[in-house]
Amino acid sequence: SQQGEEDPQALSIQEGENATMNCSYKTSINNLQWYRQNSGRGLVHLILIRSNEREKHSGRLRVTLDTSKKSSSLLITASRAADTASYFCATQPMDSNYQLIWGAGTKLIIKP
Amino acid sequence: DVKVTQSSRYLVKRTGEKVFLECVQDMDHENMFWYRQDPGLGLRLIYFSYDVKMKEKGDIPEGYSVSREKKERFSLILESASTNQTSMYLCASSSPAGSGMRGYTFGSGTRLTVV
């Protein structure tokens, strides 16, 4: 089942600009994760933020989590052509050790 | 480098055929998952397994079955392939603790076309 909603559905920016994607969810969670999918390939795990964390960084990625608003954002700074991909958020519900609930994804295009 | 390997990248099968999609992981993960991904519908969970010989239905199990005889291998079976099962199939694995730390590891996907 899908509980995550991501916006925008698609985003096109110039190389070097920052890209921000947002994710909203519905239930209480253990953690929220972001994945990248290059066209026609599998998903790659980017970053995980726990419910008791508010912000996390990994290289050019910055993730924030607001559990009171049930929302998260992924910021990619200084974008590169290689960042062109679809980005998905996924939440691990509080009552599950197994499953992730997926958003529909944001398609990011970086124009050279 | 840790891996989830799906046996085929592209597969074309005829309607009514029995189709096997194989997935093998080398990370000693307990949990394994099969998803299908269709444009506009995102990732939908077909089946998952949290231990050898254990399986649980996901959101769209109809028309599919699974087998997990060994920890490292999780097979998805289309009993009688139909054109509406044309899709990208993604296998993933995780450990119960790891899913809270390192997320899922995905295979490269199998694009199945049923004609």
Side-chain angles (χ1 to χ4, degrees):
Chain A
S1 58
Q2 290 188 334
Q3 73 156 328
E5 290 186 10
E6 292 170 68
D7 89 278
Q9 288 187 328
L11 179 61
S12 181
I13 61 173
Q14 292 293 138
E15 193 167 21
E17 294 181 340
N18 295 342
T20 299
M21 289 159 271
N22 302 297
C23 170
S24 60
Y25 58 93
K26 295 174 184 169
T27 62
S28 297
I29 62 171
N30 285 322
N31 63 70
L32 184 144
Q33 305 174 25
W34 286 91
Y35 290 77
R36 183 187 74 232
Q37 184 181 34
N38 292 95
S39 180
R41 309 290 298 191
L43 283 74
V44 175
H45 181 254
L46 294 176
I47 195 166
L48 179 152
I49 185 166
R50 292 189 177 81
S51 59
N52 61 354
E53 297 174 313
R54 292 297 165 256
E55 188 171 311
K56 204 159 182 181
H57 297 253
S58 176
R60 293 184 295 112
L61 305 180
R62 173 179 168 250
V63 170
T64 60
L65 178 65
D66 186 335
T67 52
S68 66
K69 295 181 179 177
K70 291 187 167 59
S71 67
S72 172
S73 67
L74 171 67
L75 169 68
I76 303 174
T77 60
S79 63
R80 305 167 181 169
D83 295 328
T84 294
S86 292
Y87 292 81
F88 293 86
C89 71
T91 52
Q92 185 180 50
M94 189 81 76
D95 58 356
S96 173
N97 282 333
Y98 311 122
Q99 292 198 57
L100 293 181
I101 311 297
W102 295 87
T106 293
K107 187 165 187 175
L108 175 65
I109 297 172
I110 309 298
K111 295 179 287 187
Chain B
D1 199 15
V2 293
K3 272 188 180 175
V4 175
T5 302
Q6 294 184 231
S7 53
S8 305
R9 285 292 319 279
Y10 300 95
L11 213 51
V12 180
K13 295 292 181 180
R14 295 197 179 278
T15 301
E17 275 193 79
K18 190 169 187 176
V19 181
F20 293 86
L21 302 183
E22 305 287 347
C23 176
V24 178
Q25 51 98 0
D26 64 1
M27 295 163 285
D28 202 34
H29 281 171
E30 289 83 358
N31 303 330
M32 295 189 75
F33 306 85
W34 274 106
Y35 289 90
R36 65 177 281 177
Q37 184 179 29
D38 301 285
L41 296 176
L43 273 77
R44 293 183 292 168
L45 182 64
I46 305 171
Y47 268 97
F48 68 100
S49 169
Y50 53 87
D51 201 353
V52 176
K53 296 193 185 294
M54 305 301 289
K55 59 185 178 184
E56 294 282 344
K57 292 180 180 178
D59 299 316
I60 51 162
E62 296 78 19
Y64 303 94
S65 62
V66 291
S67 172
R68 192 159 181 209
E69 296 296 317
K70 293 185 178 181
K71 191 175 186 179
E72 66 270 20
R73 186 180 297 268
F74 191 36
S75 303
L76 179 69
I77 303 153
L78 285 66
E79 297 291 344
S80 177
S82 63
T83 54
N84 63 12
Q85 292 179 309
T86 292
S87 186
M88 168 73 99
Y89 289 87
L90 294 166
C91 176
S93 72
S94 75
S95 65
S99 62
M101 296 174 63
R102 290 180 293 278
Y104 286 13
T105 302
F106 279 85
S108 295
T110 296
R111 186 165 294 282
L112 172 68
T113 302
V114 182
V115 297

